RNA sequence: GCGGCUGUGGUCCAGCCUGGUAGGACUCAAGCUUCCCAAGCUUGCUGCUCGGGUUCGAAUCCCGGCAGCCGCACCA
């Protein structure tokens, strides 16, 4: 429930997120996180790691470089396929995708063609500009990857990685041995990825440099399924909301109704759903899992669901994550390209493991928290899960006299080593509550005259604005159990 | 990338047509006040997107760059 402009204004004013290199006018597709945004992002990434690494006994983080050698992305298919061939009209100057122009005439797929082949076919079919009928110029390559020159002579070509996943694929053989051949094995990573988007828009939704949190899970279907099956038991009656490619509209179904999907896929689908509802605490009717149709999904993805969040500020359902069953495509490509064995021995033969990929756009997820959290009206308020909120608690003196100020500093000092805590004495008490409401601090503690008598303080909750009074000695554990949801807030 | 619109303190906007001291609201900071939800008072910080041109003089007119929004295209 957030108007784009209002939300962007709060983000800039309070310190969440804004355009990068601002003082020089900015550059499209690059954003900075301020002090609150950085805390929120760090908290999200920490929660992501805790949650998803715990899904398997052998799921671990790894970190790999942002720059990849040319050959890696040649093998992965990005050099050929992560690019478009653009053809510009000589008369009206509009650019079109070359393969689409040809497909419109022939009705056959032209995506596989390179520049020269496309050029020949365009001539052969005498294709004209669809906008004005003018003659077309020679095709030009537009690759979405940023090319970099490596080494002193700059003669070694590389790219800024367009996705973080390749690092996990390439490290499969090494980690398979280091982790002592345990399967299913998961290699997760969080880091930057780079895509030279033609026209980045919609704030942090489409960036040229962005963060991904990805988990690649390696296993051999039919061989390692029992591990997934055991974990799946507890979930099979669970309801999740989704939209399948052949359904008219989304609906809530229990997992065991999705019996055309393999159990290992269903298990992770359900866990992703749970992450959005329980960790990110998004309202159930504001996010969904949507299956991509055959036309929409890439050829190597056997099953593909996206997580979509309904974001008012971005005008509707927007993709924030995906779950892809990629078969043996990725390891197969690297085995071919590197000449190294990516297979493992299974019952006397060598098999290339399959991959399911959990892929999250960090910036998009952060934005979805802000979009879903921000409410205006009588009171401007950012409702963020306690575990993600930049500050967990704020401490105020009710008035700045009679020793109350000093007492509030003592309370603040006692809490700040345990929680991200804010202390504020400026303005009226209501103003201070309002400031914390706007940045999503779930609890505000006020030191008042009663505190001087009996060492109790009030704790106010962001959503209801209700207060409870508790002894200072119980403050720390009370706040902790409130944030962890071990205990509900009631006065 | 193409077309349309836009760019003024931290934020949101007025001023531009008709060139001549840049204004408001909110925010922020310091202080006063205050026994619980953006109150009030005092003081203060901060601005014409950038570059060029016209002019005695440009926020204002002209040209260009950059950025943003909307539409088209793009988004393996």
């Amino acid at each position: 429930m957030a108007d784009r402009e209002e939300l962007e204004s709060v983000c800039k004013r309070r310190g969440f997120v804004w355009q990068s290199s601002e003082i020089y006018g900015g550059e499209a597709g690059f954003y900075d996180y301020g002090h609150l945004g950085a805390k929120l992002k760090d908290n999200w990434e920490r929660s992501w790691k805790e949650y998803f690494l715990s899904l398997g006994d052998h799921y671990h983080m790894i970190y790999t470089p942002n720059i990849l050698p040319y050959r890696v992305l040649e093998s992965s298919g990005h050099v050929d396929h992560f690019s478009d061939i653009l053809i510009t009209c000589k008369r009206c100057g509009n650019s079109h995708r070359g393969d689409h122009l040809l497909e419109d005439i022939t009705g056959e797929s032209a995506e596989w063609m390179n520049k020269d082949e496309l050029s020949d076919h365009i001539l052969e079919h005498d294709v004209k500009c669809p906008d004005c009928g003018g003659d077309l110029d020679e095709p030009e390559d537009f690759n979405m990857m940023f090319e970099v020159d490596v080494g002193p002579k700059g003669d070694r070509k590389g790219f800024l990685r367009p996705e973080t996943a390749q690092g996990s694929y390439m490290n499969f053989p090494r980690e398979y041995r280091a982790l002592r051949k345990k399967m299913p094995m998961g290699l997760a990573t969080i880091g930057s990825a780079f895509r030279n988007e033609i026209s980045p828009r919609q704030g942090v939704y489409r960036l040229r440099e962005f963060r991904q949190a990805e988990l690649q899970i390696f296993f051999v279907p039919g061989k390692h399924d029992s591990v997934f099956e055991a974990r799946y038991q507890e979930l099979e009656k669970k309801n999740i909301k989704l939209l399948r490619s052949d359904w008219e509209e989304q609906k809530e179904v229990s997992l065991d109704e999705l019996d055309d999907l393999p159990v290992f896929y269903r298990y992770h689908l359900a866990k992703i759903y749970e992450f959005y509802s329980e960790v990110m605490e998004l309202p159930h009717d504001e996010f969904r899992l949507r299956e991509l149709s055959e036309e929409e999904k890439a050829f190597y993805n056997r099953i593909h669901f996206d997580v979509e969040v309904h974001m008012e500020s971005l005008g509707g359902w927007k993709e924030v994550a995906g779950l892809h069953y990629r078969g043996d495509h990725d390891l197969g490509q690297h085995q071919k390209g590197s000449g190294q064995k990516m297979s493992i021995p299974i019952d006397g033969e060598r098999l290339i493991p399959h991959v399911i990929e959990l892929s999250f756009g960090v910036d998009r997820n952060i934005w979805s928290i802000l979009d879903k959290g921000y409410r205006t009206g009588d009171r401007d308020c950012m409702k963020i899960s306690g575990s993600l909120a930049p500050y967990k608690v704020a401490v105020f003196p009710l008035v700045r006299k009679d020793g109350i100020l000093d007492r509030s500093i003592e309370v603040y000092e006692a809490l700040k080593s345990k929680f991200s805590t804010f202390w504020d004495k400026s303005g009226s008490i209501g103003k201070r509550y309002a400031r914390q409401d706007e940045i999503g601090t779930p609890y505000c503690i006020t030191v008042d005259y009663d505190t001087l008598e009996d060492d109790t303080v009030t704790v106010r909750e962001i959503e209801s604005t209700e207060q409870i009074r508790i002894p200072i000695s119980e403050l720390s554990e009370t706040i902790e159990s409130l944030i962890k949801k071990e205990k509900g807030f009631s006065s």
Side-chain angles (χ1 to χ4, degrees):
Chain A
M1 287 282 267
D3 174 79
R4 169 93 179 273
E5 287 178 10
E6 273 181 70
L7 184 51
E8 283 183 351
S9 165
V10 178
C11 285
K12 284 191 270 190
R13 197 155 33 81
R14 291 303 187 184
F16 282 104
V17 64
W18 50 81
Q19 187 164 43
S20 193
S21 303
E22 221 183 0
I23 62 169
Y24 288 96
E27 183 79 45
F30 299 93
Y31 270 73
D32 288 349
Y33 286 90
H35 71 288
L36 294 179
K39 277 184 154 71
L40 177 59
K41 184 170 76 67
D42 287 347
N43 291 343
W44 187 88
E45 290 181 359
R46 196 194 58 247
S47 298
W48 187 90
K49 286 184 214 175
E50 279 171 13
Y51 185 85
F52 286 103
L53 296 182
S54 78
L55 297 187
D57 294 323
H58 313 292
Y59 292 2
H60 299 277
M61 290 300 293
I62 63 168
Y63 292 102
T64 66
N66 286 327
I67 294 177
L68 293 172
Y70 188 90
R71 289 183 58 196
V72 173
L73 292 153
E74 195 178 27
S75 298
S76 71
H78 285 86
V79 170
D80 287 336
H81 297 293
F82 204 71
S83 64
D84 293 322
I85 296 167
L86 292 183
I87 301 180
T88 307
C89 170
K90 286 180 186 170
R91 194 200 294 174
C92 70
N94 286 353
S95 293
H96 304 273
R97 269 183 63 166
D99 53 345
H100 287 184
L101 286 177
L102 197 57
E103 282 164 13
D104 289 345
I105 305 284
T106 64
E108 287 169 27
S109 172
E111 211 184 324
W112 52 273
M113 287 184 198
N114 67 26
K115 204 163 56 176
D116 295 335
E117 287 165 325
L118 205 58
S119 184
D120 293 344
H121 281 82
I122 296 270
L123 272 177
E124 190 184 313
H125 288 92
D126 194 29
V127 181
K128 298 289 186 192
C129 173
D131 293 341
C132 75
D135 286 334
L136 297 170
D137 214 334
E138 282 298 303
E140 289 173 293
D141 267 319
F142 177 78
N143 196 298
M144 299 248 301
M145 291 192 290
F146 288 99
E147 207 172 300
V148 290
D149 297 324
V150 181
K153 289 185 182 161
D155 54 352
R156 301 188 63 81
K157 252 167 68 167
F159 296 101
L160 296 179
R161 59 183 177 187
E163 60 177 26
T164 57
Q166 298 306 324
S168 295
Y169 301 144
M170 288 190 287
N171 280 299
F172 171 73
R174 173 120 261 147
E175 284 286 8
Y176 179 64
R177 287 187 290 269
L179 285 166
R180 295 167 45 212
K181 307 185 181 176
K182 300 292 198 299
M183 292 288 252
M185 180 180 106
L187 295 179
T189 197
I190 298 182
S192 299
F194 306 82
R195 297 179 189 180
N196 199 4
E197 298 284 353
I198 297 173
S199 118
R201 279 196 199 166
Q202 307 206 52
V204 302
Y205 185 73
R206 186 179 298 160
L207 296 172
R208 288 187 166 125
E209 174 174 349
F210 57 103
R211 276 177 91 73
Q212 289 187 308
E214 297 197 302
L215 169 60
Q216 313 294 325
I217 300 159
F218 305 92
F219 70 105
V220 176
K223 191 65 195 171
H224 304 126
D225 290 351
S226 60
V227 180
F228 292 118
E229 276 157 13
R231 289 174 174 268
Y232 176 71
Q233 298 301 315
E234 53 166 309
L235 295 173
E236 61 184 342
K237 296 296 174 202
K238 197 179 164 68
N239 282 344
I240 62 176
K241 175 169 326 140
L242 44 81
L243 175 61
R244 301 215 54 174
S245 57
D246 55 350
W247 291 359
E248 290 287 315
E249 53 188 37
Q250 56 196 327
K251 55 186 171 187
E252 204 168 300
V253 293
S254 81
L255 280 183
D256 53 10
E257 291 174 60
L258 303 171
D259 50 14
D260 61 314
L261 303 177
V263 162
F264 63 78
Y265 193 90
R266 266 186 273 174
Y267 171 71
H268 290 92
L269 198 61
K271 283 298 182 180
I272 289 175
Y273 192 86
E274 194 175 86
F275 179 75
Y276 279 89
S277 83
E278 288 174 25
V279 179
M280 288 177 63
E281 295 180 17
L282 298 191
H284 277 263
D285 48 353
E286 306 275 358
F287 73 93
R288 68 180 182 192
L289 299 161
R290 182 173 78 85
E291 185 179 24
L292 271 64
S293 65
E294 284 301 319
E295 297 77 60
E296 286 175 294
K297 72 185 189 203
F299 71 93
Y300 46 74
N301 278 334
R302 302 182 184 194
I303 312 170
H304 181 158
F305 278 81
D306 277 343
V307 180
E308 297 184 330
V309 178
H310 193 270
M311 293 190 242
E312 203 77 26
S313 65
L314 297 178
W317 291 101
K318 300 300 252 184
E319 173 196 351
V320 295
L323 176 62
H324 320 125
Y325 179 30
R326 300 171 65 94
D328 62 2
H329 173 77
D330 303 286
L331 293 184
Q333 287 295 113
H334 283 302
Q335 175 163 295
K336 231 184 288 173
S338 66
Q340 302 292 309
K341 273 202 189 92
M342 304 301 270
S343 58
I344 60 171
I346 297 286
D347 301 332
E349 42 175 344
R350 296 196 69 90
L351 291 171
I352 293 179
H354 283 202
V355 167
I356 18 176
E357 170 184 72
L358 284 72
S359 176
F360 294 71
V362 175
D363 313 276
R364 293 174 172 192
N365 276 279
I366 298 303
W367 189 259
S368 75
I369 293 166
L370 296 170
D371 177 281
K372 296 270 71 99
Y374 192 57
R375 292 153 203 190
T376 54
D378 295 346
R379 198 165 58 97
D380 293 353
C381 180
M382 186 76 79
K383 184 72 177 70
I384 302 177
S385 157
S387 61
L388 298 175
Y391 287 105
K392 310 303 179 201
V393 57
V395 180
F396 314 136
L398 181 60
V399 292
R400 288 186 269 172
K401 56 185 182 185
D402 303 329
I404 288 179
L405 186 88
D406 288 344
R407 196 74 184 92
S408 77
I409 293 172
E410 286 171 29
V411 173
Y412 164 68
E413 292 290 338
L415 287 176
K416 74 175 186 186
S417 61
K418 190 150 185 197
F419 307 103
S420 175
T421 308
F422 196 84
W423 180 81
D424 194 358
K425 69 176 166 65
S426 116
S428 66
I429 190 77
K431 183 78 188 178
R432 287 176 246 159
Y433 287 139
R435 288 193 189 109
Q436 298 308 311
D437 283 346
E438 205 172 28
I439 64 171
T441 307
Y443 302 105
C444 292
I445 293 164
T446 300
V447 172
D448 57 19
Y449 282 94
D450 289 350
T451 310
L452 303 179
E453 302 293 322
D454 61 6
D455 281 331
T456 61
V457 291
T458 60
V459 179
R460 167 199 185 262
E461 193 259 341
I462 186 170
E463 181 122 63
S464 62
T465 76
E466 277 169 18
Q467 293 182 313
I468 53 174
R469 177 167 282 278
I470 60 171
I472 290 173
S473 58
E474 293 171 18
L475 206 46
S476 178
E477 62 185 42
T478 303
I479 298 289
E480 176 150 21
S481 54
L482 284 170
I483 288 167
K484 287 185 176 166
K485 298 268 181 293
E486 291 163 358
K487 171 172 173 176
F489 189 93
S490 60
S491 44

